[in-house]
Amino acid sequence: MQIRSSIKRRVPFLEWLPSSCTWGILTILVGGLSGAFVSFFTLSMHRGGDWSYTSYGAETIRVAHYSNDTTTASSSLNHHTSIRQSGEHSNSIRGPPPKRPRPIDILRKKKHPTPYEIAWYPNYLLPPWAHKVKGLYGYKPPNGMDACYVHIGKTAGSSIGCALGFQLHCKNNKQYLPGRLPKSATHIFHREVYDCRPDASHYLFIVRDPLARSRSAFVYGRLDEHMMSQEKGYMDNRKRLYIDCPFQTINDLASKGLAKDGTASDECKQRAKDMLMGTVWYETHHYFSYQYYLEALPKDAKILVIRTEHLEEDWNDIEVGLGGQAQTNITFPRENSQPKQDRDMILGEDERMLLCKYLCIEIQVYKDILRRAMNINDEQYEVSMSELSDSCPIEAKETGCSFSAPDISEKLKENRGYPNIKGGYPK
């Protein structure tokens, strides 16, 4: 006590502080920058505050409550990051990675777990990219005015998501647009992360012409030998399509994999069909299809739609419907786009028709989403059908396909997840 008093007399500004704080400040000063960082990080974890890390290591197990099976953690928590295989940590020479708090320990301290965390309790936290930015976090819109954002890949979904105020992989946290719509979109559904509230009033889709979306997704997922050497086996399924089969462009996939006289092997031809129909995970955004997103929602879901081809028009219609004001010359953030090469611009007439044939289910679901959209009137629907006719005229006109839609019930269970918490949450 005598030492502490003498220190306070020598450093006057410490006199008004409690003794524990005095020693804390001195520890930081003596320990230097590294000690301060460790202390701050420990304090943040203790308070259950900023848990911005995105991985718990390859040993993380996701337990689905709809069955007794366990599956190794996929990309739900590690979305937009690389999965490190066991034993491949970059600091393995210096010892094991530092121990992180278990998800269950953090969840037990949370007063308000998210729908996603409830569905996958106790092993998963909502990833940081699915949170709203600071300026919109925790905002509660009036009853009946909220919406869950259904972020479908390769539809300008990241750009709209950033404009709505989700963190995603936006360049900064101030890209969200003014108005009521960003405040109304409180939750998100993207790929394996279904964080929509059970009582969500609306579901806000972003959709695009199915053929244009497919072409963009193919380019986005494409691998080459150099990328495979860097990924160390993580992209095995994509390798089976892009490297093991002669499909470097989507025109190749159609001419060699879908045509009756195509030169690809029978196995590669089946892979081409499976990718387009979303039955095998060869390319992410084909696998998470329009069918997947629509069937994941409640059957009586109230749908709102923003069409990629009419972003400003549809944004303003919804904004006005929420009681806000229409804006002119809206600049949407441009995020997560993949530059196309000259070879990607080539698509023959026969190849286009073949792609449309195997995208038929996607096209019919796309039409169904537009028909159900509360903000799309008859005239707007016909405009979209006219645009669809320019790419896939037969499928735009027909109301069915020559084959049945695939059964994706197991896909939904494995990826969307369904809450089944016995005895309440958390325990």
Side-chain angles (χ1 to χ4, degrees):
M1 297 298 294
Q2 185 176 359
I3 295 176
R4 294 183 184 179
S5 299
S6 63
I7 291 175
K8 286 188 177 183
R9 285 196 297 270
R10 294 180 184 180
V11 188
F13 80 92
L14 294 178
E15 285 195 335
W16 57 273
L17 293 173
S19 297
S20 58
C21 292
T22 303
W23 281 105
I25 292 174
L26 290 175
T27 299
I28 292 176
L29 292 174
V30 173
L33 183 60
S34 61
F37 175 78
V38 172
S39 299
F40 177 77
F41 180 80
T42 304
L43 179 61
S44 296
M45 290 300 101
H46 175 71
R47 294 189 309 186
D50 181 16
W51 35 273
S52 59
Y53 48 85
T54 59
S55 175
Y56 293 95
E59 69 279 4
T60 305
I61 300 296
R62 182 170 73 180
V63 181
H65 294 281
Y66 51 81
S67 71
N68 294 323
D69 297 331
T70 60
T71 55
T72 305
S74 60
S75 57
S76 293
L77 190 60
N78 301 315
H79 187 50
H80 297 314
T81 66
S82 297
I83 295 179
R84 293 188 176 189
Q85 301 298 326
S86 180
E88 293 183 357
H89 297 282
S90 59
N91 58 349
S92 58
I93 297 178
R94 291 169 286 177
K99 186 176 181 180
R100 297 185 186 276
R102 296 182 304 167
I104 187 173
D105 294 333
I106 298 176
L107 286 169
R108 283 172 176 167
K109 297 178 182 179
K110 294 187 71 174
K111 293 182 179 180
H112 303 290
T114 73
Y116 172 78
E117 291 165 343
I118 292 175
W120 296 110
Y121 180 81
N123 295 300
Y124 272 75
L125 296 171
L126 185 69
W129 59 261
H131 286 274
K132 297 298 289 266
V133 298
K134 185 176 181 180
L136 296 173
Y137 184 79
Y139 184 86
K140 294 182 180 180
N143 290 338
M145 305 287 276
D146 64 288
C148 184
Y149 176 49
V150 183
H151 170 13
I152 301 175
K154 311 321 297 175
T155 61
S158 293
S159 297
I160 294 297
C162 292
L164 290 171
F166 291 98
Q167 293 189 22
L168 295 174
H169 34 71
C170 312
K171 293 188 175 86
N172 61 67
N173 289 339
K174 298 181 180 180
Q175 292 188 99
Y176 64 90
L177 297 179
R180 298 194 175 187
L181 183 51
K183 295 178 180 179
S184 294
T186 56
H187 292 71
I188 193 171
F189 170 28
H190 180 49
R191 290 178 38 167
E192 307 101 318
V193 178
Y194 184 93
D195 197 46
C196 300
R197 292 177 57 86
D199 59 348
S201 300
H202 303 92
Y203 296 84
L204 174 61
F205 278 73
I206 173 75
V207 298
R208 181 185 186 182
D209 175 279
L211 179 59
R213 175 178 179 269
S214 178
R215 295 180 67 178
S216 178
F218 183 89
V219 173
Y220 186 81
R222 182 168 52 209
L223 289 175
D224 57 32
E225 294 287 356
H226 175 67
M227 293 172 64
M228 283 304 303
S229 66
Q230 293 180 326
E231 294 291 349
K232 297 182 180 179
Y234 173 50
M235 300 297 183
D236 280 350
N237 266 9
R238 286 163 67 181
K239 175 180 177 294
R240 293 187 183 98
L241 182 80
Y242 289 99
I243 304 298
D244 297 345
C245 294
F247 306 146
Q248 275 299 290
T249 68
I250 201 163
N251 195 76
D252 291 340
L253 183 139
S255 62
K256 300 176 181 179
L258 300 180
K260 291 182 179 179
D261 58 349
T263 57
S265 67
D266 291 342
E267 186 174 8
C268 284
K269 287 182 177 180
Q270 188 60 48
R271 290 176 187 175
K273 296 173 184 177
D274 289 338
M275 184 207 73
L276 290 172
M277 296 184 66
T279 52
V280 179
W281 194 337
Y282 291 122
E283 191 284 315
T284 297
H285 297 304
H286 283 95
Y287 186 71
F288 293 104
S289 58
Y290 284 139
Q291 182 191 5
Y292 168 80
Y293 286 104
L294 185 61
E295 291 191 17
L297 304 187
K299 292 184 178 180
D300 60 348
K302 296 179 179 178
I303 293 175
L304 301 171
V305 161
I306 294 177
R307 298 165 293 170
T308 305
E309 298 83 5
H310 305 276
L311 292 178
E312 183 174 312
E313 176 187 352
D314 294 343
W315 179 283
N316 277 332
D317 284 348
I318 298 173
E319 177 67 26
V320 171
L322 293 170
Q325 298 292 323
Q327 305 173 49
T328 57
N329 300 320
I330 300 177
T331 301
F332 293 97
R334 185 170 177 81
E335 301 290 345
N336 203 31
S337 60
Q338 186 80 2
K340 294 181 176 61
Q341 302 173 17
D342 290 341
R343 59 178 177 168
D344 298 316
M345 308 306 293
I346 300 172
L347 184 61
E349 183 67 16
D350 293 340
E351 287 75 15
R352 180 172 60 82
M353 300 299 284
L354 285 168
L355 289 170
C356 290
K357 175 183 177 181
Y358 287 98
L359 288 171
C360 181
I361 299 297
E362 278 293 272
I363 293 171
Q364 302 309 320
V365 176
Y366 167 77
K367 290 157 63 176
D368 189 26
I369 293 171
L370 289 176
R371 280 194 296 266
R372 291 178 57 179
M374 301 173 63
N375 63 301
I376 301 296
N377 59 37
D378 292 343
E379 182 179 350
Q380 292 169 318
Y381 177 80
E382 291 303 325
V383 169
S384 291
M385 290 303 100
S386 176
E387 293 166 345
L388 180 60
S389 295
D390 292 337
S391 56
C392 296
I394 296 175
E395 290 72 21
K397 182 179 178 181
E398 298 294 334
T399 58
C401 304
S402 59
F403 48 87
S404 301
D407 180 357
I408 63 169
S409 55
E410 290 303 315
K411 182 199 293 191
L412 289 167
K413 288 180 181 180
E414 181 181 350
N415 294 284
R416 178 206 188 274
Y418 293 88
N420 184 21
I421 309 302
K422 297 181 180 179
Y425 172 89
K427 294 181 180 180

